[in-house]
Structure formats: C-alpha cells, structure tokens
Amino acid sequence: MTERPTLLPGEIAHQNFEAGYIALSYAVSYVGSVTTLELLNRRTGSRGWYNWSLLVGSAISMGSIAIWGMHFIGNRAIILDYGVESHQLMYNSSFTALSFFLPIIVLLSAYMFIGAGEDVSIVRVSIGGTTAGLAVVLMHYLGQFGITNYTSVYKIPFVVGSVIIAILASNVALMIFFVSRSRWAGTWWKRIGCSFVLAGAVSGMHWLATVGTNYRLRNAALPKSALDRKQTVIVVGTLCVFTCTCLLAYAIVVGAKARQMVTKVRKVTLSAVIFDPDGRLMVSTSGSLPTEVITDTLNSLLDQEFSKEHPVFLWFYRVSRSWTAVKDIVSGMQQHLRHVDLKKIGTEEQSELNLVFRELLCVAAKKLSEQLRHPLESLGALHDDILHTSSNSRSRVNTPVGPSDVEKLRKVSGGRGQTLFIYREVSREEASRLQAHGYRFATVKVALDVVARSLQVQREVLSEHLKNMRDASQIESILEPGVHLGCFACRANIDGGFDVLVQKLQPNLIPSVQLPISAPTDEFKLLVQSFHGMTLTNVLRMLEIKRDSVSGSERPLIEEMRSSVRALTKAYPDTFWQDAIFSSVPVTMPCRSGNVEVEHATAQMFVFRTIVPIHQRELSDGVRMAPFDFFTTQQRTFSTSRDHEVLARQIHSEFSGLSERYLRSPKPSFISPRLRAFLWPMSKRPTTAEKTLVENPFANIMISQAVDVHSAKTSMEIHELDTLRTAGAAVVVREVEEPTWAEDYFHLLMSKPRSP
C-alpha cells in the first residue's frame, strides 16, 4: 500500500464528498423551508403578537435551519486530506454564532418588507427575494470565514454563479408562494413545491460555491476548536428534530381543526361573515369562517322544520338587531343550559324546548363574540336565510328549478346540517385589530372556493348568500322620508299560511315608488280621497280625466300622482295590479332619520292592496314572495323602531320567570352551618329576596311608567285602521306590541272590500 503524503502548511488539501451528508443537508434545508413557508402562510397582518411571533419564527426557521443548518451539515460532507481526523474543518465559535444570527436578522427585515397583505407587490416580493438570497450568500461566506485551520480559496466564476442561483431561486420560490397565497390557492402541495425550490436555492448556492472552493492548510499545529465536526452534526441534528416535532404537532392540530370543522357543519351552527370597507371577507388562516355549534339535536328540539318562518328564528332575527336586550342575561342562560340534559329534551313541553333553543342561539352568539374578541352588542345581524350543508357540495352544476318547485324547496334540506350567518361590515381599525388576532381578509372571489369546501356547500349557493349579506351590511334597507305609493299583495301558500310580495333587492320593503313631495298637502289629501276604494285601473282612468279637465295649480299635482302610479306599474309589470284596491289612509312607516331627529323624520305611504292568485307563479324581475310572518318581523327591526324597547322588556320578563329547576344549584359547602355560625356570628343572613337574586341569574326588577293596553277590534274597517294608525303614533312605553301596519292591512285584505 502506498504511503499517503503528509499535508504541509500552505498546501491545498485534497477533498472529496460523502453522498449521505449531501442528501442530509438538503433534507435539513427542506424542513426549514417548509416550516418557513407554513409560518408565513399563517400570517394575517403586520400587527399583533400573533403575527409578530409567526414572522420571527419564519425568520428563525429559515435562517437557522434551512440556511445555517444546511451549511454546516453540508460542510460535514467535505472530506479533506483523505480523511485524516485532525485535518478536517474546524470552526471558530464566535464566527459560528455570528453566522447563526446574522441571516435571521436579514431575513426578518426581508419578510417585514414583503408584508402580509392580500395584495401582492411584485416589487416588494422581488426585493424581499433578493434580500433572502443575499442572506444565504452572506451566511455561507461568513461561515467559511469562521474556519480556523484552513484558508478558503475561491474561484470567482463559481462565486458569481452561486450568488445568481441564490437570488434567482429565492425570488422564484417566494413569488410563487406569495402569489398563490394571495389568491387562496396556496394549498399544501403548492407550499411543498415552493419549499423544494427554496431549499434548492440554498443547497444549489452552497454546493456550487463549495465546488469552486479549495482549502489551504494554515499551519502544522492545528488549533483546538470548540465546535468540531461531530458537535456540529449533533447541534444541527437537534435543531432539525425539534423543527420536525413542531411540524408534526402542527399537522396534528390542523388535522384536528379540519375534522372539527367537518363535524360542525353537520350540526346547526352559527358563523360570522365580516366584511372590511373594501368588501373583502374575513376568514381564518385555514380559509374557514369563525363558527360556533348551536346544537346537534335540532330535530328533537323543534316540532317543525327550522326555517325562516319558525318562531325561534323570528325571535333570534329580532334579537340580533338588538343585542342589548340579551347581553346581560346570557350568563344566566349558560347556567341554565348546564343543567339541561339535551338527550332527554324531547320529553319536555314544546314551549320549554323553544326556550332552550333560544338560549342555545344566544350562548352560541356569545361564544362567537368571544372567539372574535368583539363585544356581543356589535356582533352583527342575522342573515335572513339558512344555509343547508350537503354531501355533494363540490358539485358546481346548478339544478334548474321551475316556478312550480319553489314551494317544495322549503321542505327539502337535503343536507347534514344547517348554518346561520351573522354579518356586518367593520371599520378599517376593527379590521386591523382582527388581523392582529389571526384573521385574514381576502376578496370573496378568491376565498369563495376554500370557504365553500369548509362549509360543504355549493359554490354558487354560498356566493349568492355572501352577495346578499354584503349588500345588506353596507346600508340599511329602509324608506326615505317623504310620501310613497306602494302595493301590498298577499298569496296563499300551498303549505299553509300566506306570503307577501316584496322587493327582490330590499326584501323588507313592499314594491313602492316615492312621490316628488315631502309631505301630503291638503290638496293632495283631497285628491287621494277621491280615489278611495278604486282599482288601480280606475285610478289611472280618473287621473287622465282630471288632468284634461282641470287647470292651474291642481294640474301639476295630478300629473305627479299619475306619473307615480304609472312608474309603479312600469317597475313591477304584473297583471294582478290592475285590480288592486286603493286606500286613501296613509300608513306611517319607519324611515331613514338622516340629519334630523327620528320623531321629525316620517315616511307616509298610500297603498294599493290585492290578493295574488295562488296559481300565479310568474312574477316580474323586481319582486318575489316572502313568508308573511317573517316580513312582519322585519317591520319591527328597523333601526328607528321603538319595538326594540318592548322586546327587551319582554325578554327580561320571560327569562326572569324561569322555574326553580332551571336555577343554578348551590355549590356544596365543606363547612357545616354550626361551624360557619361560630366563625362568623355577626354575618348577615341573606333575605329571601337577596337569596333569589343570588340564585336566579335572570332575576330582574322591571319598572314601567305606562302600559298601553291595545284593545282588540272586532271589525277592521278603513276608518278604524285610520284610528289605529293615529293611536299607534303616540309615544308610550308599551308592554304589549301593537300590530304592524302589514298585519292591519292583511286583515283589511282578508275582509270584504268596501265599495267606493
């Protein structure tokens, strides 16, 4: 065997590489890259400890594992001087520590510059990618400078090539990642692909530079190193194991959350739909809406299908527009529910079951507000429809529904669960706060697919719901102050009850047009009184006659009335309007207050009323049918309505009357009464009233200054309706809600019409 020559100071060491360590170095870089991109993907903004922790964690994982760890594991693959142990690379501890922290700081600044918004700036990502590539280069050559026993000799073409590879590959990886992230297409397999490219940038730069590097021995007396080859592998290996453990724990947590979301959508749930001023939708980092389970025992709780016509839904619809009515008693509801066995709830009386379900709704809303770290009173309003989850949610083909099938859809849920939505629009300051707590805002178009999959619903169905909620969250649908002309039409429902005709875009309003006058004048009142009891066709005919027969100041008024009636029939060109009966008694309706006091802002409407034939299914584009009970509920939920005060008193009165079996059970005492009396002889014993207040979370003292008892009317003639409206205008504190104008007109519609 030929004797191996001895390496002398100043000579270039022979080098070769171990393939196992080369593969290990790439694996280390890949693990760090995956961790980095996953942490960056979960960032939702630039504010809050949550986002800052993710930012710092991503810089550490990239700088310490993907770059620093890969470098030192890769250098372990370099075998110098034919494997002589004392002639292998050794490092200076100070430079090794500096090479560890410096790329972390550089990467932290690069990721901060790129930002975490949904709008991707190509310039920012390019600068950030270039900075990240330079961080790789900086760490490599700084680590090489820390070698104590050799002097590195570089070949300039290889140095330039390594810099180009690091910068180019880093830009490509980060560009793909941030663009796909902004489009909510950043699925796990795309992040894996980007991680391969990013790890390739680090490894490619390292090995191209390594191939172009020679090592010249400094002196024969090799220095001692605080960090030799084996110690380097141990340190880096420990960091990698720790990172892999964190990734495994994260995968388990994400998988559990995904399974939990699938389980949720099979129940009755409450989800928050929050828009920012730009119309972007708020979602979690996984793409789902904030959701709380209401119940999974709906069928046993209710005696009929849970829909927008159910009394509990109508009640919760009103409560969601007046959260102050329940915010102080939700804790009492939670106490009550702790003592309710939902598995045996089917044996209770139906009135009590409805009460329990109302409590479940309020408690779910409270939990949702806590999840969002938002006060309950500003949580948002309940959407006017219920979304059914289905097993074929990925299907994007809409089944055509004919007019005759509309009624049948009410009885078909076809799914495994139901979702209620609470919606609102937040300010920019509130949006920033929510981002700081870990939520993201993305355009509806971008987030739609991910949200639809998480809810297990069809994309088109969810898109329509979100559009309606977005429109409703921007401005309240309410009449403007002034004089209006409307049409009140009802149709019998084949499943029972009645539907009312409403505007398609503003379903809480009947079809109407506004007249160009601010208030009814005496001349106008005389004019409309002359049309009382006439059909719409006869009203138009009389207006034509009057317009041709009068002159002077009356003519413009008649022309305005005629134009308004024609505008109404043109906007809603349905044939059944021709027989609608006109009422000359104006209805005072809620309206937008504007810059004036609510009491002084009024909207008065003169109404044509008619019954739509039950076989009439084809309607004009601007209208649709809505359940009458739901429509009357909407008339009580306008922001200017005083029914909110009545609802609050009713809720407190109802829940303060719960029986003793619903009250919180006293906690067991570990001190006997005699011993307690001996230790605290002067303690005041609670009175019966105080004991009730302590034990009964719903106990309240209700004081009313006045009670308006509305007498029932045996005949709903038109002059009585006028009296009713006048009496209803009085400002009093009521304990019983008066009928809405819609209920009064419905009674008039169902009664025999009076001839003119």
Side-chain angles (χ1 to χ4, degrees):
M1 182 176 179
T2 304
E3 185 177 352
R4 186 173 53 200
T6 302
L7 185 65
L8 299 176
E11 293 183 343
I12 299 296
H14 174 272
Q15 61 179 317
N16 61 327
F17 306 98
E18 290 187 9
Y21 281 103
I22 294 176
L24 179 61
S25 68
Y26 182 84
V28 168
S29 181
Y30 175 74
V31 169
S33 300
V34 168
T35 306
T36 299
L37 295 186
E38 189 57 54
L39 293 175
L40 288 176
N41 181 65
R42 299 188 69 80
R43 287 191 71 206
T44 58
S46 57
R47 295 173 54 185
W49 68 267
Y50 173 82
N51 290 304
W52 274 103
S53 64
L54 293 176
L55 180 66
V56 174
S58 63
I60 292 175
S61 62
M62 188 66 193
S64 65
I65 306 299
I67 301 176
W68 188 87
M70 181 273 153
H71 175 87
F72 283 100
I73 291 291
N75 277 3
R76 177 68 177 83
I78 302 173
I79 308 299
L80 297 177
D81 195 21
Y82 301 99
V84 175
E85 187 65 29
S86 60
H87 284 191
Q88 304 310 306
L89 296 175
M90 294 184 181
Y91 302 92
N92 179 278
S93 300
S94 300
F95 279 100
T96 301
L98 181 62
S99 67
F100 180 88
F101 289 106
L102 194 59
I104 294 176
I105 296 174
V106 175
L107 288 168
L108 183 63
S109 62
Y111 295 152
M112 288 177 60
F113 183 79
I114 293 175
E118 302 300 326
D119 298 327
V120 178
S121 171
I122 304 299
V123 175
R124 283 179 172 269
V125 176
S126 298
I127 295 175
T130 302
T131 305
L134 291 176
V136 177
V137 175
L138 178 65
M139 187 275 134
H140 176 84
Y141 288 104
L142 188 60
Q144 291 293 103
F145 190 76
I147 297 175
T148 58
N149 54 345
Y150 287 93
T151 300
S152 300
V153 180
Y154 304 113
K155 300 175 182 178
I156 299 302
F158 286 88
V159 173
V160 174
S162 65
V163 173
I164 293 175
I165 287 178
I167 294 176
L168 184 61
S170 295
N171 271 283
V172 170
L174 293 180
M175 190 69 69
I176 294 174
F177 167 73
F178 280 103
V179 169
S180 64
R181 178 184 183 270
S182 68
R183 295 178 180 175
W184 275 93
T187 52
W188 62 271
W189 62 269
K190 290 189 178 181
R191 290 197 290 277
I192 287 178
C194 290
S195 299
F196 274 116
V197 177
L198 194 56
V202 179
S203 297
M205 176 271 153
H206 174 86
W207 290 112
L208 185 61
T210 298
V211 170
T213 302
N214 291 322
Y215 296 94
R216 178 182 289 118
L217 186 64
R218 288 187 175 180
N219 50 56
L222 296 178
K224 291 284 184 178
S225 174
L227 195 66
D228 60 15
R229 298 170 68 215
K230 293 182 179 180
Q231 291 172 332
T232 301
V233 173
I234 292 174
V235 170
V236 176
T238 302
L239 286 172
C240 291
V241 170
F242 175 75
T243 304
C244 290
T245 303
C246 292
L247 280 174
L248 180 61
Y250 170 76
I252 294 174
V253 171
V254 170
K257 288 185 176 180
R259 290 190 296 272
Q260 184 181 18
M261 189 64 195
V262 172
T263 304
K264 279 184 177 181
V265 298
R266 295 176 182 177
K267 303 177 181 180
V268 183
T269 57
L270 184 67
S271 296
V273 175
I274 298 178
F275 300 96
D276 69 0
D278 298 323
R280 298 182 302 174
L281 178 66
M282 189 196 79
V283 291
S284 66
T285 53
S286 61
S288 60
L289 299 174
T291 301
E292 287 291 338
V293 174
I294 300 172
T295 180
D296 56 356
T297 57
L298 180 64
N299 293 334
S300 62
L301 278 175
L302 304 175
D303 59 346
Q304 65 186 77
E305 181 195 9
F306 185 57
S307 65
K308 62 193 300 183
E309 302 173 66
H310 195 281
V312 174
F313 182 88
L314 299 179
W315 180 86
F316 192 54
Y317 184 86
R318 294 186 61 184
V319 168
S320 69
R321 285 154 175 79
S322 183
W323 287 115
T324 54
V326 297
K327 70 172 185 177
D328 296 330
I329 61 175
V330 175
S331 58
M333 293 178 176
Q334 290 176 307
Q335 294 175 15
H336 170 215
L337 290 175
R338 293 191 188 104
H339 296 81
V340 175
D341 188 355
L342 294 179
K343 295 180 180 179
K344 301 179 180 179
I345 198 69
T347 61
E348 304 292 337
E349 294 294 332
Q350 188 60 44
S351 60
E352 296 176 351
L353 301 184
N354 287 348
L355 182 143
V356 169
F357 189 45
R358 283 183 286 167
E359 289 179 330
L360 290 170
L361 288 166
C362 293
V363 169
K366 177 64 175 177
K367 291 181 179 179
L368 194 59
S369 69
E370 293 171 351
Q371 183 183 151
L372 298 171
R373 301 181 185 181
H374 210 70
L376 177 63
E377 53 267 31
S378 56
L379 179 61
L382 182 67
H383 180 42
D384 60 3
D385 212 342
I386 302 174
L387 190 66
H388 295 271
T389 59
S390 60
S391 57
N392 59 346
S393 59
R394 295 186 180 182
S395 174
R396 298 190 177 185
V397 180
N398 285 332
T399 303
V401 178
S404 61
D405 298 328
V406 174
E407 298 296 337
K408 297 180 181 179
L409 292 178
R410 291 186 175 181
K411 295 299 181 181
V412 180
S413 61
R416 298 172 294 180
Q418 293 175 303
T419 298
L420 282 67
F421 295 106
I422 295 286
Y423 67 90
R424 71 174 300 228
E425 179 181 296
V426 296
S427 63
R428 298 192 184 278
E429 293 74 16
E430 291 175 309
S432 298
R433 182 184 59 78
L434 289 168
Q435 286 179 315
H437 291 322
Y439 293 100
R440 292 176 60 182
F441 283 89
T443 61
V444 173
K445 182 180 179 180
V446 168
L448 184 61
D449 286 332
V450 181
V451 176
R453 284 196 299 268
S454 68
L455 290 176
Q456 298 186 15
V457 296
Q458 291 187 5
R459 184 180 186 274
E460 293 78 6
V461 174
L462 180 62
S463 176
E464 185 66 22
H465 279 262
L466 293 176
K467 179 182 181 301
N468 294 337
M469 284 184 275
R470 171 58 181 162
D471 294 340
S473 65
Q474 290 184 287
I475 187 171
E476 183 181 14
S477 174
I478 191 172
L479 292 176
E480 299 293 336
V483 182
H484 300 258
L485 192 66
C487 296
F488 181 80
C490 288
R491 185 182 68 188
N493 192 312
I494 59 176
D495 294 324
F498 286 85
D499 293 334
V500 63
L501 198 73
V502 297
Q503 297 183 35
K504 182 173 292 186
L505 299 180
Q506 295 179 300
N508 60 340
L509 301 177
I510 62 173
S512 64
V513 295
Q514 186 168 3
L515 278 71
I517 56 176
S518 58
T521 62
D522 293 337
E523 293 180 352
F524 183 81
K525 291 178 181 180
L526 290 174
L527 177 65
V528 296
Q529 285 175 3
S530 64
F531 303 139
H532 178 68
M534 291 186 181
T535 63
L536 186 144
T537 303
N538 291 335
V539 169
L540 281 174
R541 185 182 299 112
M542 289 298 297
L543 286 170
E544 295 282 355
I545 295 173
K546 287 180 176 291
R547 185 190 61 170
D548 297 335
S549 60
V550 300
S551 59
S553 60
E554 290 186 55
R555 188 179 180 86
L557 186 63
I558 294 174
E559 185 59 36
E560 290 175 354
M561 182 68 176
R562 174 181 172 275
S563 300
S564 298
V565 176
R566 293 184 67 86
L568 186 65
T569 57
K570 186 176 181 180
Y572 312 101
D574 294 287
T575 57
F576 51 81
W577 292 130
Q578 306 304 319
D579 297 326
I581 303 299
F582 181 73
S583 173
S584 62
V585 180
V587 181
T588 301
M589 292 187 173
C591 66
R592 201 179 312 281
S593 58
N595 297 323
V596 298
E597 296 294 332
V598 175
E599 287 78 8
H600 301 294
T602 60
Q604 291 186 309
M605 181 177 291
F606 295 88
V607 179
F608 288 93
R609 64 182 189 273
T610 187
I611 296 179
V612 181
I614 194 170
H615 61 271
Q616 177 80 39
R617 296 296 167 179
E618 295 289 344
L619 300 173
S620 58
D621 293 335
V623 293
R624 64 181 178 88
M625 304 303 297
F628 179 75
D629 289 340
F630 181 71
F631 178 75
T632 57
T633 298
Q634 288 180 307
Q635 304 311 299
R636 302 185 186 276
T637 58
F638 291 105
S639 59
T640 57
S641 174
R642 292 190 179 88
D643 285 330
H644 297 300
E645 302 171 5
V646 182
L647 176 66
R649 285 191 288 273
Q650 289 177 344
I651 289 174
H652 279 263
S653 176
E654 179 180 14
F655 284 94
S656 65
L658 289 176
S659 60
E660 290 296 325
R661 61 195 176 100
Y662 289 148
L663 305 182
R664 168 186 266 180
S665 301
K667 296 182 178 179
S669 176
F670 296 99
I671 304 177
S672 64
R674 291 185 179 181
L675 181 58
R676 189 186 300 110
F678 175 76
L679 294 175
W680 299 285
M682 300 303 294
S683 62
K684 180 182 177 181
R685 296 184 178 180
T687 63
T688 302
E690 291 172 339
K691 184 178 180 180
T692 302
L693 286 174
V694 172
E695 294 181 350
N696 187 352
F698 297 103
N700 294 280
I701 300 176
M702 303 302 299
I703 300 176
S704 176
Q705 296 178 347
V707 178
D708 179 21
V709 181
H710 182 72
S711 59
K713 290 185 169 47
T714 57
S715 176
M716 294 297 299
E717 296 181 350
I718 205 69
H719 69 276
E720 291 178 328
L721 177 60
D722 188 18
T723 304
L724 178 62
R725 291 297 102 213
T726 304
V731 180
V732 293
V733 179
R734 304 190 308 272
E735 295 296 338
V736 179
E737 291 177 326
E738 294 180 345
T740 63
W741 71 268
E743 291 171 304
D744 289 334
Y745 259 90
F746 178 78
H747 286 295
L748 285 173
L749 194 61
M750 295 299 105
S751 63
K752 184 178 180 180
R754 182 182 295 272
S755 58

